């Protein structure tokens, strides 16, 4: 095993609508699509598409979405031994309403994701110990995230913590115990209460985290690129100029690809450059997991 993603999976239920119904109103809508998502699953798929051996510790419900999610992970070669069904619970679902101007309204029902527990981390210990990297987000309960960080620390396995969606309740002690803390700009703003409108402001905000004991802060900045801040250095990789069609899941694309290349080489800057290319390719296509490229496409793009 190369990478363990301990986190969420969701099923996106995407309704393409002409307009939102008012209270008590029933309207027809032109189209509907089901997609596999969830930050954890997206990151796992991104790394697996590049060839990493990925395991996923996650929970699904006992509904018709459960097998769909498991089959989807397995389609990409992801190890699902610790993808567990929870009786009497729905899977995580995200009803999404997209209007003709491509504006989204999204609801998230975490369902089985809320049942992923610290015991589930320890239950997967034997296989987790074989991994070279643990990848975490915040769509599962915080105590589970904390246990996973501790587990990584106990076994000398580096930990990536993507604080998404941002939570003010995140215990800073555990942020400091992660090896790479990877927020986007708005998560950085929420977590630091500082402005993040310019690169300079982002650097200053990230530096406050470093001063409080975080080892590596990597801020994804959308079309502006990505900034890596440590105690001694600040490095920025610019985004590729591309025609962005759908940026959903770009952050997950970045993290999954960064994880893959970091495990392969241990070279952080190189992994950031590859992940910037991977994420750029992903925003040029509609969809989330289905928009993620493979290894050859990334290498070709960078030639
Ligand atoms: P999401 O929540 O949609 O998954 P995010 O806000 O977490 O995304 P971003 O910072 O928007 O993440 O994007 C992650 C990375 O994707 C960026 O650092 C950049 O490399 C790439 N990216 C995003 N948007 C664009 C764009 N318009 N053009 C080129 N690259 C982009």
């Amino acid at each position: 095993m190369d990478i363990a993603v301990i986190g969420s999976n969701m099923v996106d239920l995407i309704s393409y609508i002409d307009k939102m119904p008012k209270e008590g109103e029933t309207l027809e809508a032109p189209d509907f699509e089901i997609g596999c998502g969830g930050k954890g699953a997206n990151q796992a798929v991104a790394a697996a598409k590049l060839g990493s051996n990925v395991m996923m510790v996650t929970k699904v419900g006992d509904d018709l979405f459960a097998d769909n999610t498991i089959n989807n992970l397995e389609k990409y070669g992801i190890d699902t031994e610790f993808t567990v069904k929870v009786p009497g619970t729905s899977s995580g679902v995200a009803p999404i309403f997209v209007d003709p101007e491509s504006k989204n309204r999204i609801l998230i029902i975490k369902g089985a994701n809320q049942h992923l527990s610290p015991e589930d981390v320890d239950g997967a210990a034997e296989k987790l110990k074989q991994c070279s990297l643990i990848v975490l987000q915040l769509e599962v309960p915080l105590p589970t995230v904390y246990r996973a960080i501790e587990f990584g620390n106990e076994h000398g396995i580096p930990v990536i913590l993507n604080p998404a969606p941002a939570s003010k309740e995140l215990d800073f002690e555990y942020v400091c115990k992660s090896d790479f803390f990877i927020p986007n700009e708005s998560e950085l703003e929420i977590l630091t209460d500082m402005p993040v409108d310019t690169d300079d402001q982002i650097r200053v905000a990230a530096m406050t985290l470093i001063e409080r004991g975080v080892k590596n802060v990597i801020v994804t900045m959308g079309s502006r690129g990505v900034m890596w801040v440590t105690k001694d250095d600040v490095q920025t990789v610019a985004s590729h100029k591309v025609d962005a069609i759908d940026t959903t899941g770009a952050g997950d694309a970045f993290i999954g690809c960064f994880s893959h290349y970091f495990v392969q080489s241990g070279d952080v800057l190189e992994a950031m450059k590859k992940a910037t290319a991977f994420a750029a390719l992903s925003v040029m296509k509609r969809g989330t997991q289905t928009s993620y490229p493979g290894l050859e496409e990334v290498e070709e793009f960078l030639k």
Side-chain angles (χ1 to χ4, degrees):
M1 277 298 140
D2 297 317
I3 299 169
V5 177
I6 304 175
S8 61
N9 69 85
M10 299 268 172
V11 177
D12 295 337
L13 305 171
I14 312 161
S15 299
Y16 294 93
I17 62 171
D18 291 328
K19 62 173 187 166
M20 267 318 247
K22 295 192 201 109
E23 191 181 323
E25 188 182 24
T26 303
L27 289 177
E28 262 187 48
D31 213 353
F32 177 77
E33 236 173 62
I34 292 189
C36 289
K39 290 177 190 299
N42 290 346
Q43 294 172 14
V45 167
K49 273 192 159 180
L50 291 166
S52 275
N53 291 315
V54 183
M55 67 180 283
M56 205 170 165
V57 180
T58 191
K59 280 194 163 156
V60 292
D62 67 355
D63 50 19
L64 53 89
F65 299 121
D67 285 330
N68 189 54
T69 294
I70 293 170
N71 292 341
N72 180 64
L73 294 173
E74 289 179 351
K75 181 176 88 186
Y76 293 111
I78 294 167
D79 185 309
T80 58
E81 185 183 350
F82 296 98
T83 298
V84 175
K85 288 185 182 173
V86 186
T89 306
S90 83
S91 292
V93 292
I96 301 174
F97 302 91
V98 184
D99 72 14
E101 286 166 15
S102 296
K103 292 204 181 103
N104 291 331
R105 286 186 168 83
I106 303 177
L107 289 169
I108 286 187
I109 297 111
K110 285 188 183 168
N113 291 295
Q114 299 195 95
H115 294 265
L116 194 70
S117 68
E119 291 73 34
D120 292 319
V121 175
D122 287 310
E126 285 314 309
K127 205 168 224 173
L128 283 177
K129 277 187 216 164
Q130 301 166 23
C131 293
S132 307
L133 182 68
I134 290 174
V135 181
L136 305 166
Q137 325 74 31
L138 302 183
E139 284 181 334
V140 296
L142 286 174
T144 309
V145 173
Y146 299 158
R147 179 64 201 124
I149 294 172
E150 275 171 354
F151 187 93
N153 290 179
E154 284 161 15
H155 296 91
I157 305 168
V159 176
I160 288 179
L161 177 57
N162 168 219
S167 166
K168 284 273 198 192
E169 272 145 49
L170 181 62
D171 184 340
F172 205 75
E173 185 195 335
Y174 288 95
V175 175
C176 295
K177 287 181 179 172
S178 71
D179 296 273
F180 294 94
F181 188 61
I182 313 189
N184 66 13
E185 298 152 289
S186 62
E187 288 145 8
L188 181 67
E189 181 178 24
I190 293 167
L191 294 166
T192 59
D193 282 320
M194 293 175 75
V196 295
D197 300 322
T198 64
D199 286 14
D200 250 4
Q201 289 175 336
I202 289 173
R203 184 182 48 75
V204 171
M207 200 51 96
T208 63
L209 299 177
I210 297 292
E211 278 157 11
R212 291 173 66 193
V214 185
K215 292 167 211 148
N216 292 278
V217 179
I218 298 178
V219 188
T220 63
M221 309 182 295
S223 58
R224 282 154 57 214
V226 54
M227 188 187 289
W228 174 30
V229 181
T230 61
K231 193 158 58 64
D232 312 306
D233 203 8
V234 177
Q235 303 249 27
T236 304
V237 176
S239 283
H240 294 269
K241 290 207 175 359
V242 295
D243 283 331
I245 290 175
D246 181 0
T247 61
T248 323
D252 296 332
F254 181 90
I255 288 174
C257 179
F258 176 85
S259 301
H260 169 79
Y261 282 101
F262 177 71
V263 164
Q264 296 301 311
S265 70
D267 183 335
V268 176
L269 196 58
E270 188 59 20
M272 279 167 58
K273 287 179 186 162
K274 303 274 191 189
T276 300
F278 185 91
L281 284 166
S282 84
V283 304
M284 291 161 72
K285 285 193 202 146
R286 209 168 266 292
T288 306
Q289 295 176 8
T290 49
S291 74
Y292 295 165
L295 192 69
E296 277 173 24
E297 216 181 317
V298 178
E299 300 294 340
E300 186 63 30
F301 183 73
L302 282 169
K303 267 188 193 161

